[in-house]
Amino acid sequence: MKLKYFLLFLFLCSACTFAEVQNKYNVFRTPDKIQSDIPNDVPTLFILDYSNSMNEYLLDKTKYDLLLDSMRIILSKMSPQNKIGVRVYGQRWGFTPIDACRASNLVVPIGINPYSEISKVLSKYSPRGMTPITYSLKQAVKNDFKNIQGEKHIILITDGGENCDESPCKYAMELIKYRKDIKIDVIAFNLDNDEDLEQLECTAVVTKGKLYQADTKAELVRSLNSAFKTQKNVDAKILY
């Protein structure tokens, strides 16, 4: 009888341990413990992919819907004092390929966490066009951060590589020659093209950022959380 109860005890312990491990590494479950109210004086611009491929489904939701859900989760957990803004690209087709490759707009200027405004604006646009990543980065650096001093942070989310005859990697390498105040983190969402990943990794690494890969909503939330958290201890102030 004692052996019977001992074996039952071992079985229950094993089941509990398996459940804990399964829960910890469940890529479909949105993490509960994401950062909350971390003070951050580094202005952060989210550059979001609204290209046509974001209409593709992952299980029962489009990548676009998963992106919106993830952004709302992260934004709601940020400190009210965080300075953030949003630029979207690919939100429209153009009359010409050149026009389509200029489809990139700052929809929420960088300011004190305008969560409710961002949440509304994100739903106003639909995924439609091309993937002008380099053009969007150029606009962010030239215009979106204008008159903002100190360190600056870009979190770029894309489900594909550049398709507008430019190279974000080459642009990033040129950028660091005269700008040391901008860090770019890239989140590759459901992207498995090695050449595109290499370009995006280069874009991040040369600016001292990081490339994250996500294939589910939970992974996307974790990636957003990790990318934003990397800035919480930034002390250097470089003026431009």
Side-chain angles (χ1 to χ4, degrees):
M1 289 296 292
K2 289 183 178 180
L3 178 60
K4 178 181 178 180
Y5 287 119
F6 178 70
L7 292 174
L8 178 60
F9 173 76
L10 287 179
F11 173 77
L12 291 174
C13 288
S14 299
C16 290
T17 302
F18 176 75
E20 289 177 1
V21 171
Q22 187 182 45
N23 188 52
K24 180 179 179 181
Y25 294 102
N26 185 351
V27 297
F28 295 105
R29 185 179 66 83
T30 300
D32 299 318
K33 296 181 180 179
I34 60 176
Q35 79 180 43
S36 176
D37 295 338
I38 291 181
N40 183 348
D41 63 352
V42 179
T44 299
L45 179 72
F46 292 91
I47 301 182
L48 308 181
D49 189 349
Y50 273 58
S51 64
N52 186 56
S53 57
M54 291 294 285
N55 287 309
E56 295 172 358
Y57 275 83
L58 291 180
L59 296 178
D60 60 340
K61 282 193 171 184
T62 66
K63 288 187 277 188
Y64 166 70
D65 289 327
L66 295 175
L67 172 61
L68 263 57
D69 290 346
S70 301
M71 283 295 296
R72 285 168 178 151
I73 289 171
I74 289 296
L75 292 170
S76 68
K77 296 297 182 180
M78 288 182 180
S79 166
Q81 299 307 309
N82 293 146
K83 297 177 181 178
I84 55 180
V86 177
R87 171 176 284 273
V88 302
Y89 63 88
Q91 77 281 6
R92 62 174 173 78
W93 280 109
F95 291 106
T96 66
I98 293 177
D99 187 32
C101 285
R102 297 295 181 270
S104 179
N105 290 95
L106 178 67
V107 295
V108 179
I110 297 171
I112 301 296
N113 194 353
Y115 168 66
S116 58
E117 180 183 355
I118 292 177
S119 185
K120 292 178 182 177
V121 167
L122 290 179
S123 300
K124 287 185 177 180
Y125 300 91
S126 300
R128 285 183 180 150
M130 305 284 280
T131 310
I133 293 174
T134 308
Y135 178 78
S136 298
L137 291 174
K138 289 178 179 178
Q139 292 302 303
V141 172
K142 181 180 178 181
N143 299 316
D144 302 350
F145 287 120
K146 191 175 182 179
N147 300 323
I148 295 179
Q149 298 180 333
E151 295 283 343
K152 303 163 188 69
H153 185 202
I154 291 173
I155 298 178
L156 168 71
I157 301 177
T158 181
D159 77 332
E162 172 77 52
N163 60 9
C164 285
D165 294 327
E166 290 192 274
S167 167
C169 174
K170 288 182 180 179
Y171 171 67
M173 288 191 289
E174 287 297 316
L175 177 66
I176 62 171
K177 291 180 181 178
Y178 62 95
R179 295 290 294 266
K180 306 296 184 183
D181 60 327
I182 297 175
K183 171 182 174 179
I184 303 172
D185 283 313
V186 180
I187 301 176
F189 185 35
N190 193 234
L191 197 167
D192 57 7
N193 181 290
D194 290 340
E195 186 176 342
D196 289 338
L197 286 171
E198 185 177 344
Q199 278 279 313
L200 295 171
E201 183 175 27
C202 164
T203 304
V205 171
V206 298
T207 63
K208 297 183 178 180
K210 183 177 178 180
L211 172 70
Y212 299 86
Q213 289 183 257
D215 289 312
T216 67
K217 176 181 172 181
E219 291 176 349
L220 184 54
V221 171
R222 290 191 185 98
S223 298
L224 282 164
N225 184 54
S226 297
F228 190 78
K229 253 201 292 198
T230 59
Q231 292 296 300
K232 69 176 181 178
N233 293 319
V234 173
D235 294 318
K237 298 296 178 186
I238 304 174
L239 305 182
Y240 282 89

